[in-house]
Amino acid sequence: MTPANEHRAETGGRIDEPCARRRREITQAIRRAGGLNSHPVTYSAEEDELWGTMVSKLNAMHSRVASSRYLRAKERLPLPVTHTPRIDDLGRRLNNLTGFRLLPVDGLAPVRDFYGRFGDDIFSTTMYLRCPSQPHYSPEPDMLHELVGHVVMLADPQFADLYRLFGKAANNATSEQDLQAISQVFWFTMETGLVQEDGRTKAYGAALLSSSGELAKLDSCLVEAFSIQEMIASDYDISTYQGRLFIAQSVEQMVREVRSFLTRA
């Protein structure tokens, strides 16, 4: 779940009243019965259909534009297409693979909490789906973003370790400036990162891989060479399609440089 100070849904993408009402219902269900690897929400047939439609579309796109590491992670932790996943089942399977657990949350997480939980092998996830009127892109994190993007990558041991490092760095940050730098690097890598594979541009970031709209517009983005310092200095807006991305020459380069930054942060 994107942390609170990165969330601009109110200004960048207002939701309609039926969608807002459903989110309030889900929030109440989580407050009543939520917890690690729990599943306090029952989804409707319409929600299952929306999930299946979008996952099928994303699966078709992933075969062309997703990094090989992400595709292998999908094989390790396959998501259903016919219905919305159960967080309890998915959380148990993820825990068996890399030790991570899933925590349904009822609202936006403060930055330090969102990242800090990674250090305890916890990923905070929303449980609502994007509005049916905006199926190809959500200006805020929804279940498609959380599960198709982040949770699948957490099935990969190397990426799970990198999330843990982000968590430890956030917990050890002694200033808001340091915390913001960590958040910036997370955005331009784990959310919107690109990598070169066999001379082709492939996506590994969760925000890209969970949005058919983002993936369709990759060719029109300004793509720059991987640079931690440029990431820290760059502005971005999560309420619209991205216009600036960073590409690493390999996953190994990205992991090496991000590790170096986080261990110094």
Side-chain angles (χ1 to χ4, degrees):
M1 181 176 186
T2 304
N5 76 343
E6 292 179 5
H7 192 294
R8 304 182 189 178
E10 288 303 315
T11 57
R14 296 185 183 279
I15 63 176
D16 55 55
E17 178 51 32
C19 195
R21 183 169 59 250
R22 177 57 173 153
R23 293 186 184 185
R24 290 194 293 269
E25 294 171 357
I26 289 173
T27 293
Q28 293 168 2
I30 292 171
R31 289 176 179 174
R32 287 194 303 266
L36 282 169
N37 288 354
S38 65
H39 189 79
V41 177
T42 300
Y43 294 100
S44 67
E46 291 76 17
E47 287 169 320
D48 283 342
E49 181 179 5
L50 175 61
W51 169 271
T53 298
M54 295 314 302
V55 169
S56 296
K57 184 176 183 65
L58 288 167
N59 283 344
M61 300 181 82
H62 288 167
S63 64
R64 294 183 288 105
V65 300
S67 70
S68 58
R69 195 164 204 102
Y70 176 83
L71 294 176
R72 289 194 297 271
K74 280 178 70 171
E75 293 176 356
R76 289 169 60 84
L77 190 69
L79 300 176
V81 176
T82 58
H83 60 276
T84 310
R86 290 191 59 90
I87 296 298
D88 48 4
D89 170 67
L90 194 61
R92 283 192 296 268
R93 288 194 284 137
L94 180 62
N95 187 242
N96 289 335
L97 289 170
T98 62
F100 263 84
R101 295 160 293 169
L102 302 180
L103 177 66
V105 290
D106 61 6
L108 300 177
V111 173
R112 196 178 295 271
D113 290 348
F114 173 71
Y115 294 121
R117 287 171 184 155
F118 298 164
D120 295 321
D121 293 353
I122 295 172
F123 183 81
S124 308
T125 179
T126 54
M127 291 195 70
Y128 53 76
L129 286 167
R130 61 194 54 181
C131 300
S133 60
Q134 297 176 312
H136 301 294
Y137 174 81
S138 177
E140 56 193 333
D142 74 323
M143 276 189 73
L144 279 160
H145 172 78
E146 313 284 40
L147 306 187
V148 175
H150 292 294
V151 172
V152 167
M153 286 307 300
L154 285 169
D156 177 275
Q158 187 174 42
F159 274 89
D161 284 344
L162 204 55
Y163 275 74
R164 291 185 183 99
L165 273 183
F166 272 104
K168 292 175 182 176
N171 286 329
N172 292 333
T174 57
S175 70
E176 289 303 313
Q177 182 179 1
D178 288 345
L179 197 59
Q180 181 60 31
I182 292 166
S183 185
Q184 294 277 123
V185 173
F186 187 87
W187 176 259
F188 285 112
T189 56
M190 312 312 290
E191 293 283 9
T192 63
L194 300 173
V195 66
Q196 282 278 354
E197 286 187 1
D198 300 322
R200 300 179 64 187
T201 298
K202 297 297 181 76
Y204 66 88
L208 301 182
L209 290 169
S210 60
S211 170
S212 58
E214 289 277 19
L215 292 177
K217 292 180 177 293
L218 278 184
D219 291 342
S220 63
C221 285
L222 172 64
V223 178
E224 300 184 20
F226 192 91
S227 168
I228 296 289
Q229 290 307 312
E230 284 296 316
M231 293 175 188
I232 293 171
S234 298
D235 293 328
Y236 63 89
D237 183 354
I238 74 163
S239 68
T240 188
Y241 292 122
Q242 297 305 297
R244 186 185 191 193
L245 304 173
F246 292 90
I247 187 167
Q249 292 304 302
S250 66
V251 170
E252 290 71 25
Q253 179 209 2
M254 182 276 293
V255 171
R256 182 174 62 252
E257 296 198 26
V258 171
R259 277 182 172 275
S260 178
F261 162 73
L262 292 173
T263 53
R264 296 194 313 267

